[in-house]
Amino acid sequence: MQEKKLWQARFEASSAEILNEFNSSLSFDIRLYKEDIQASIVHAKMLAKQQIITKTDFQAIEKGLLEIKSEIEKDISLWLEKNSQEEDIHMAIEKELTAKIGDIGKKLHTARSRNDQVITDLKLWLKYEIQNLSELLNELRQTLVEKAKQDIDIILPGYTHMQQAQAISLGHFWLAYENKFVRDLSRLEDSLKRLDINPLGSGALAGTSYPIDREFTTKELGFKSMTTNSLDAVSDRDYVCEYEFIASMIMLHLSSLSEEMIIWNTQEFNFIEISDAYATGSSMMPQKKNPDIPELVRGKTGRVIGVLNAMMMTLKSLPLSYNKDLQEDKEMLFMASDTVKKCIRIMIDFLKNIKANKDKMYSSIKNSYASATDIADYLVKKGLAFRDAYSIVGELVANAISRNIYFEGFSLDEFKAKSQLFESDIFEIIKPETCVDARDIPGGTSRKQVKAAIAKIK
Ligand code: ARG
């Protein structure tokens, strides 16, 4: 017969094997071991300070916990195997501690429940993870800014409805994505306001009758403040949802960027060249150079958004306070966080390993009617009402299409036949460079404005 569990004092029979397996979270919450040990040491230190345990108890507990930490770090799979019967990381560590230091180990859980323990660990982990993710996002931003600097003078069509709309600088395009990731960074920073609050001391649900010092653990663990309602604290997983929402948002941004790269890599567009090391081939069709990286990033977006959905469904209608459903938070959170980090990492490398096909971009914009608005604006600046100018240019477009030419294919007389306001400078106006630089207002695509935008970025 198996040994009784730590919580089995009132039970006569031991658990069914199938329950043990179903109930166990050790295989994934092992990822919290560092935070669990850190929080346990602080908890024990506080207990000693408050004379709930002795100083010698604390010293033995701290030493034991640190030993466990190095054992886990030495061989994590061996440690997991040894503790495979334990329900979760908290039980496993406590059990190991008692095996190591004897009865003193049994004092660690005084004035604490796994319900406040697990969220203390999770919040510490998430704080650290937000820092990692922010660093990666900043590296991605940096990469986009570098590309923007490099590609300011490359001109390509900008699209609306996937229709060539107006000429833009490629630098402006890269900065558009940089702007999106800036917002994601600020979301991460903002989420700390609600995350960085110490729940330790909430106990199982109602607090504790021991004279603990929550200010002390808050400070020692590096939290900004502490929770003010134990019932809310042990049930709150808002911060998990918020993180998953931000991860989803980042994935949406990465996925749109990926989609652009996939389109740009088609033979039809041919706007970019992917370096061989970052493209894949087909096992059957030798001519192919596939954009697997952005396709996978686009594909993985689904699972991250799925996690947010799943977490919200898990939380839906849960009554106060702790319910075992809440154990479902971790596996999904870890997966979402791993995925978003992996995708950012590879997008950084991917972006560094593509080259803009400048000539193809330029010929696309040149062989288009994307200067139509500029021609209308030209007439407006000479006194025509915009609507009238718009219809003159509409006629020019229809005429050009029927003759299979672009605006530069018209003679000045042909322009003048539509409006006497046209002069020879119209040929300058319709050049892609002129069109780009004409949009010289803050936030616009003129090369001067793109440079100014880059200069403003910290
Ligand atoms: N493994 C549990 C979780 O992840 C820890 C808390 C268990 N609490 C309890 N009352 N059974 O949520």
Side-chain angles (χ1 to χ4, degrees):
M1 210 181 90
Q2 8 160 294
E3 233 183 298
K4 271 195 173 180
K5 291 193 177 42
L6 291 174
W7 48 253
Q8 266 171 338
R10 64 155 284 192
F11 288 60
E12 272 165 24
S14 55
S15 316
E17 200 41 54
I18 193 168
L19 176 135
N20 286 339
E21 213 189 299
F22 191 65
N23 210 20
S24 174
S25 54
L26 184 60
S27 63
F28 49 89
D29 63 20
I30 178 71
R31 285 182 67 159
L32 298 177
Y33 81 87
K34 253 191 225 139
E35 290 75 15
D36 197 71
I37 287 171
Q38 180 195 359
S40 284
I41 290 175
V42 168
H43 177 69
K45 194 169 170 189
M46 181 277 294
L47 292 178
K49 187 183 86 70
Q50 300 300 95
Q51 296 173 352
I52 300 167
I53 62 173
T54 67
K55 215 173 156 204
T56 0
D57 289 342
F58 164 63
Q59 283 159 350
I61 288 172
E62 183 180 37
K63 187 165 169 281
L65 287 171
L66 291 176
E67 268 174 45
I68 293 169
K69 187 169 170 226
S70 37
E71 279 163 21
I72 296 176
E73 277 162 7
K74 207 167 139 213
D75 191 339
I76 197 159
S77 28
L78 187 77
W79 196 87
L80 276 173
E81 206 181 292
K82 195 165 89 180
N83 287 285
S84 61
Q85 289 305 308
E86 298 311 321
E87 193 178 313
D88 55 29
I89 184 66
H90 325 292
M91 293 305 226
I93 289 177
E94 193 184 326
K95 193 125 192 229
E96 283 273 298
L97 181 69
T98 305
K100 238 181 226 312
I101 66 171
D103 283 351
I104 296 172
K106 295 181 186 166
K107 296 183 182 179
L108 171 63
H109 212 53
T110 317
R112 181 177 79 172
S113 156
R114 270 186 299 158
N115 297 354
D116 59 349
Q117 184 180 1
V118 67
I119 48 179
T120 305
D121 296 358
L122 194 60
K123 281 182 157 187
L124 289 172
W125 183 87
L126 206 43
K127 273 176 64 178
Y128 187 63
E129 199 67 358
I130 285 176
Q131 197 182 320
N132 288 335
L133 184 54
S134 302
E135 278 163 25
L136 265 172
L137 271 178
N138 267 319
E139 199 182 328
L140 175 59
R141 284 181 56 211
Q142 189 57 41
T143 307
L144 288 164
V145 172
E146 286 307 317
K147 290 190 85 67
K149 274 187 202 162
Q150 224 174 62
D151 296 343
I152 275 187
D153 290 320
I154 299 182
I155 296 174
L156 75 158
Y159 296 80
T160 60
H161 313 270
M162 279 295 285
Q163 299 280 307
Q164 296 181 337
Q166 290 173 354
I168 57 169
S169 147
L170 182 54
H172 199 53
F173 174 93
W174 297 127
L175 290 188
Y177 279 96
E178 192 267 347
N179 272 235
K180 295 180 194 297
F181 295 119
V182 169
R183 284 197 298 276
D184 294 331
L185 270 165
S186 100
R187 283 186 186 96
L188 283 172
E189 202 183 307
D190 186 70
S191 73
L192 283 172
K193 277 190 219 152
R194 291 163 296 279
L195 167 70
D196 199 4
I197 305 176
N198 179 23
L200 192 62
S202 301
L205 76 164
T208 173
S209 58
Y210 293 91
I212 60 169
D213 184 347
R214 294 193 66 207
E215 303 267 6
F216 181 82
T217 57
T218 299
K219 228 177 128 202
E220 290 273 311
L221 289 171
F223 283 110
K224 272 231 164 70
S225 60
M226 58 180 159
T227 54
T228 53
N229 183 298
S230 59
L231 285 176
D232 173 51
V234 297
S235 61
D236 173 25
R237 296 294 183 280
D238 294 6
Y239 50 89
V240 174
C241 294
E242 274 198 62
Y243 181 85
E244 287 166 355
F245 169 73
I246 300 166
S248 297
M249 210 64 218
I250 296 170
M251 289 303 298
L252 288 182
H253 295 149
L254 286 175
S255 186
S256 285
L257 178 57
S258 295
E259 173 76 3
E260 313 254 23
M261 297 302 107
I262 293 162
I263 294 170
W264 285 9
N265 183 58
T266 57
Q267 280 78 10
E268 287 76 7
F269 266 77
N270 192 21
F271 276 9
I272 51 166
E273 179 72 33
I274 308 174
S275 72
D276 285 354
Y278 288 83
T280 48
S282 155
S283 53
M284 185 192 168
M285 298 163 281
Q287 83 279 16
K288 292 195 29 181
K289 197 164 174 187
N290 294 333
D292 284 28
I293 291 177
E295 285 178 308
L296 272 172
V297 171
R298 184 179 62 183
K300 285 178 192 295
T301 303
R303 66 160 87 191
V304 177
I305 296 169
V307 161
L308 171 63
N309 227 315
M311 188 63 213
M312 288 183 144
M313 289 309 289
T314 295
L315 294 175
K316 180 187 164 293
S317 313
L318 276 191
L320 292 174
S321 56
Y322 180 84
N323 297 278
K324 194 64 178 246
D325 315 46
L326 293 173
Q327 177 167 284
E328 284 290 303
D329 60 358
K330 285 169 281 297
E331 218 172 351
M332 297 190 283
L333 173 67
F334 295 154
M335 191 268 271
S337 195
D338 290 345
T339 304
V340 68
K341 284 193 305 179
K342 229 191 278 178
C343 289
I344 298 174
R345 178 72 267 151
I346 200 146
M347 273 314 267
I348 292 170
D349 292 356
F350 179 80
L351 290 169
K352 286 180 178 165
N353 281 281
I354 55 171
K355 226 183 100 223
N357 192 346
K358 191 175 166 170
D359 297 339
K360 180 64 206 303
M361 287 180 173
Y362 193 76
S363 72
S364 279
I365 187 66
K366 209 159 163 33
N367 300 325
S368 81
Y369 302 100
S371 56
T373 323
D374 299 81
I375 302 175
D377 291 345
Y378 172 89
L379 295 173
V380 170
K381 281 169 197 159
K382 295 200 168 199
L384 215 57
F386 180 77
R387 254 326 133 220
D388 296 332
Y390 178 97
S391 55
I392 289 174
V393 181
E395 285 169 27
L396 281 170
V397 173
N399 184 284
I401 290 173
S402 72
R403 290 161 58 192
N404 203 15
I405 59 167
Y406 298 99
F407 295 131
E408 62 190 8
F410 287 127
S411 66
L412 182 57
D413 286 344
E414 285 168 323
F415 272 117
K416 276 189 175 298
K418 293 283 173 203
S419 166
Q420 280 304 316
L421 293 171
F422 284 118
E423 300 294 344
S424 62
D425 60 350
I426 188 61
F427 293 103
E428 192 58 33
I429 293 293
I430 59 177
K431 282 188 181 156
E433 292 84 345
T434 316
C435 295
V436 165
D437 288 337
R439 286 163 177 83
D440 195 22
I441 45 106
T445 191
S446 82
R447 288 173 285 183
K448 202 176 107 202
Q449 292 294 343
V450 175
K451 274 189 197 126
I454 290 171
K456 269 197 201 141
I457 293 167
K458 281 177 244 112

